[in-house]
Structure formats: C-alpha cells, structure tokens
C-alpha cells in the first residue's frame, strides 16, 4: 500500500544539504535534488520541502535517516491510508525527535497507555498533568519549530513520486 507525505527541512547548514539529499534518496530509491532557499529564522541555514509518495513506513524511514544530524530541524508527515494511520515526526537539535500518530483530519491520536502513564506520573507528583499532555501533543517541538515554519511560507515545493 502506498501513502504520501511531505518532508520539511526547516533549517540545515549549507554543508549538510547534500547529505540530506543523499539520505532522502537512499530512502526513496531515486535521485533527489532539492531546491534550497535561505532560512531567515536562522541566518546561515537553508530550508527545503517536498512531497513524496512511497510505501507505508516511508515517513519513519525518512525520519530515521535524518535524525542523527544535530544541526538539522525537520518534520516528516505521512497521510493515513487504508492500512495505516497517518504520522508526524518533528526533530530539533535541542529536543530530539517527536513522533505522533495522526488521524484522518490530522489530529494527533494518543494511545491509551501513554495517557494512563502521564496520569499516573501526575498523580504520584512526579510531573504536572498539563505539561505531560503538552509533551504528548508535541507542543515543545511546535513551539521551537513555529518560527521556522512561518519563515517558510511561500517557499517552492517540489513534488516527488516514487515508482512502486
């Protein structure tokens, strides 16, 4: 089964850009040449975004291929399909990687066991329930990435399709 999604590279140092392309090409199995533009939210860095199509699980493979580079900020989304929920991965140098399952309309779906664990930590006084829920929803990642998302408005998008 195929799905599609978008890779948003919010900021990457110029020297890292070709490595990002090689990593993405390795996952998609096709040559990739991204259109890079300057990222005004972090002078000296570049941004790019493109749409992809591939097998279910491609989003996780893209996130895994990119997550090892400390200076990279990115997000990968995958639309839900008839056999798989949607996904969202967000990664920042300070916070690391965040993963969420998304529903048909893009809402984050939090598994029951994660909610129960957050409630239990809160009840034991180990953490604040509101802070726990914010983490489950990816709020710290959204807060850090929002200036980079805004700076990318109007950026060109390249549509890539993998032959399956």
């Amino acid at each position: 089964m195929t799905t599609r999604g978008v890779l948003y590279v919010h900021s990457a140092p110029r020297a890292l850009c070709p490595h990002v392309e090689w990593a993405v090409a390795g996952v998609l199995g096709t040559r990739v040449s991204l259109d890079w533009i300057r990222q005004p939210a972090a002078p000296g860095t570049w941004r790019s975004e493109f749409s992809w199509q591939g097998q279910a699980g491609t989003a996780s493979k893209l996130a895994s291929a990119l997550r090892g580079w400390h200076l990279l900020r990115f997000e990968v989304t995958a639309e839900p399909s008839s056999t798989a929920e949607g996904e969202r991965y967000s990664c920042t140098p300070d916070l690391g990687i965040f993963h969420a399952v998304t529903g048909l309309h893009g809402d984050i779906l939090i598994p029951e066991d994660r909610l129960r664990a957050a409630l239990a930590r809160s009840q034991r006084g180990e953490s604040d329930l509101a802070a726990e829920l914010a983490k489950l929803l990816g709020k710290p990642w959204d807060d850090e990435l929002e200036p980079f998302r805004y700076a990318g408005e109007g950026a060109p998008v390249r549509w890539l399709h993998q032959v399956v």
Side-chain angles (χ1 to χ4, degrees):
M1 220 34 185
T2 62
T3 188
R4 60 185 176 184
V6 180
L7 168 65
Y8 303 93
V9 179
H10 292 299
S11 70
R14 187 64 171 158
L16 194 54
C17 295
H19 298 281
V20 169
E21 291 178 3
W22 296 330
V24 173
V27 171
L28 297 178
T30 186
R31 187 173 184 274
V32 173
S33 178
L34 302 178
D35 292 323
W36 295 95
I37 61 172
R38 293 184 188 278
Q39 172 53 274
T45 65
W46 296 78
R47 70 174 322 281
S48 187
E49 58 187 71
F50 66 91
S51 178
W52 56 267
Q53 182 174 334
Q55 295 293 327
T58 299
S60 64
K61 290 176 184 175
L62 287 168
S64 293
L66 298 176
R67 76 182 216 162
W69 293 314
H70 181 67
L71 299 175
L72 189 63
R73 287 179 183 87
F74 70 88
E75 291 182 276
V76 183
T77 63
E79 293 180 2
S81 67
S82 61
T83 60
E85 298 286 355
E87 296 181 280
R88 183 180 114 197
Y89 293 87
S90 302
C91 188
T92 74
D94 294 333
L95 298 172
I97 200 153
F98 168 78
H99 172 252
V101 175
T102 57
L104 183 61
H105 301 291
D107 296 326
I108 291 177
L109 306 176
I110 302 172
E112 180 180 341
D113 61 331
R114 293 184 74 194
L115 288 170
R116 288 183 190 281
L119 184 58
R121 283 190 297 274
S122 174
Q123 289 172 336
R124 289 190 305 263
E126 297 172 6
S127 64
D128 176 65
L129 183 57
E132 288 281 337
L133 293 177
K135 282 175 56 177
L136 290 173
L137 293 169
K139 185 173 179 350
W141 287 264
D142 286 339
D143 290 347
E144 187 171 329
L145 290 173
E146 193 59 29
F148 295 90
R149 293 173 182 148
Y150 180 75
E153 285 185 5
V157 176
R158 175 173 290 186
W159 298 90
L160 298 179
H161 300 282
Q162 179 179 0
V163 177
V164 183

